[in-house]
Amino acid sequence: MHLRLDMPRNLVIFANMKKLIIFIALVLTAFSADAQHVGKKYKLEKVIEVKGRQGIAIDENYYYVSSTTALYKYDKEGNLIAENTMPFQNPDLANHFGDIDIYNGEIYCGLEKFEYGRGFNIAISVYDAETLQWKRDLPWKPESGQVEVSGICVDRDNELVWMCDWVDSRYVYAYDLKTGEYHSKMQCRPMPYWTQGIFIADGKMLFAADDGEAMWNIPDNIYIADVSDVPYTGLVDGTEVVRETAFSVRLDENGKPVKRSGKVAGGAKAGRLKLLREMSDFKRAGEIEGLSIDPVNDDLVVLNNRGTQIVLGMSQGPITEEGYDREIHELYIYKKVK
């Protein structure tokens, strides 16, 4: 805008004010609550102890933490604001939350019945972020090949919701955010050891990967892969072998693999994972869980458990020889350096 020298003074002031308002709006947009950009390097800023041991989701004002059987809401100073310790609609069918995400005021949770290395009755369970109360479930498709859900995240750009599988971390699975229908899956190359949580920003998926033990003090890791383009493959008519477990097939009386006909996964995208960060700055290596990026300032927030022995994903009690009398759950807040 060019100002004429003969413009009245009040019009000049108005024009300058208009330019100032536009500038402020641009600044606020740059720091708005949809930032969530992945960094290349992070520095530990602080650690907050929380009640939950499974997952973390973040909006403009709050941290949402999932425990195995509860949801918690904290302010960003670590003060507990609200909790739901009886979140399951059918406790006989479900006993486990994994990592979580938040989108449009709703918390997306991976729901299942988990028993020593296997998940049953999997669902995408949606809760209200204000009240922490259940709203609806999106059904899981066992034909996808998924056998457990350890974490969940929303791809805001492509309107997909993804689930990861701790038992068989070879794949992550995508569902249509609007319809709830199965979309496709991505093969992880190389495979992270045991995926505990996922998050998507900038078209990249972050994987929090547990190394499978909590005694030897070996650091867990975060990996990254491009998921900006995931073609639809859906479910198609076909034939496949019947799996007894994630890594074995059912055999008939003649020792031949049993097959079934019906809907099967129509294909998969090949995803290539790279190491983003080794979590060597945890107070003690134990069991890495969920992760998320703060939409306000791009902080990377990671949940870690320490102080207990883990067998097939389940706590066996505190490591008393190190002075622990309970498992400790902590949020590690990292500032993006670059």
Side-chain angles (χ1 to χ4, degrees):
M1 177 185 293
H2 298 284
L3 302 180
R4 301 198 319 269
L5 295 177
D6 59 344
M7 287 180 67
R9 186 171 183 273
N10 60 336
L11 291 181
V12 173
I13 294 174
F14 173 77
N16 288 332
M17 287 295 296
K18 185 176 180 181
K19 292 171 68 176
L20 179 62
I21 291 171
I22 293 173
F23 174 76
I24 292 173
L26 291 173
V27 171
L28 290 176
T29 300
F31 293 95
S32 64
D34 61 356
Q36 291 177 310
H37 299 302
V38 180
K40 295 181 179 179
K41 187 176 181 181
Y42 292 92
K43 180 180 179 181
L44 181 61
E45 180 80 5
K46 61 180 177 179
V47 180
I48 297 174
E49 185 172 348
V50 292
K51 287 187 175 183
R53 72 176 314 277
Q54 294 291 348
I56 171 68
I58 312 171
D59 65 12
E60 294 91 330
N61 300 307
Y62 300 104
Y63 293 140
Y64 301 86
V65 178
S66 59
S67 196
T68 305
T69 59
L71 289 173
Y72 300 100
K73 184 176 182 178
Y74 289 84
D75 67 22
K76 294 186 179 179
E77 299 304 314
N79 300 302
L80 182 63
I81 303 299
E83 62 183 26
N84 181 355
T85 57
M86 298 183 67
F88 302 135
Q89 299 302 297
N90 298 292
D92 292 337
L93 300 178
N95 65 2
H96 185 276
F97 281 138
D99 188 21
I100 59 177
D101 201 357
I102 184 168
Y103 178 69
N104 281 350
E106 296 180 323
I107 305 170
Y108 285 74
C109 307
L111 182 72
E112 67 185 348
K113 185 172 184 178
F114 184 82
E115 293 177 346
Y116 284 101
R118 183 62 194 266
F120 305 90
N121 308 326
I122 295 171
I124 299 169
S125 203
V126 183
Y127 288 74
D128 183 83
E130 180 66 28
T131 65
L132 304 184
Q133 298 300 309
W134 176 84
K135 294 182 70 174
R136 65 187 184 279
D137 284 347
L138 304 179
W140 154 70
K141 296 293 185 181
E143 298 90 348
S144 66
Q146 183 182 5
V147 296
E148 196 272 343
V149 55
S150 55
I152 202 164
C153 72
V154 176
D155 182 342
R156 293 148 176 82
D157 294 330
N158 294 309
E159 296 187 311
L160 298 173
V161 56
W162 287 82
M163 294 194 284
C164 57
D165 185 331
W166 178 87
V167 173
D168 182 2
S169 292
R170 289 177 295 177
Y171 293 92
V172 285
Y173 303 83
Y175 287 74
D176 188 287
L177 188 60
K178 291 182 178 179
T179 67
E181 291 298 316
Y182 174 75
H183 180 85
S184 52
K185 60 183 177 180
M186 184 180 79
Q187 188 181 87
C188 301
R189 301 180 177 186
M191 183 183 79
Y193 195 77
W194 274 343
T195 302
Q196 294 278 31
I198 50 178
F199 187 78
I200 292 176
D202 294 329
K204 305 293 193 301
M205 181 178 288
L206 304 182
F207 299 73
D210 181 20
D211 67 351
E213 65 80 34
M215 294 295 293
W216 296 340
N217 217 7
I218 300 173
D220 294 327
N221 299 286
I222 296 176
Y223 297 92
I224 188 169
D226 190 331
V227 294
S228 58
D229 181 21
V230 181
Y232 173 83
T233 56
L235 299 175
V236 299
D237 293 324
T239 301
E240 66 177 6
V241 297
V242 176
R243 294 195 293 176
E244 195 71 39
T245 70
F247 302 101
S248 64
V249 300
R250 185 178 302 168
L251 303 178
D252 62 19
E253 62 274 12
N254 298 315
K256 301 294 185 181
V258 175
K259 296 182 179 180
R260 72 165 188 89
S261 296
K263 294 296 183 182
V264 299
K269 169 186 167 67
R272 289 169 174 81
L273 276 65
K274 295 181 179 180
L275 178 66
L276 177 68
R277 197 176 196 280
E278 182 180 88
M279 309 309 288
S280 56
D281 47 8
F282 285 164
K283 293 181 179 179
R284 190 202 190 283
E287 192 178 30
I288 194 173
E289 295 286 351
L291 76 172
S292 187
I293 292 177
D294 193 314
V296 175
N297 53 23
D298 288 341
D299 283 356
L300 172 66
V301 182
V302 185
L303 178 59
N304 183 62
N305 301 315
R306 61 183 172 96
T308 188
Q309 182 183 6
I310 304 293
V311 174
L312 291 177
M314 302 186 75
S315 174
Q316 305 302 304
I319 307 174
T320 56
E321 59 268 33
E322 294 186 13
Y324 287 97
D325 59 3
R326 62 187 175 90
E327 185 178 60
I328 298 174
H329 324 300
E330 293 166 317
L331 296 179
Y332 284 74
I333 293 94
Y334 295 89
K335 288 293 181 185
K336 185 172 70 173
V337 176
K338 63 178 182 179

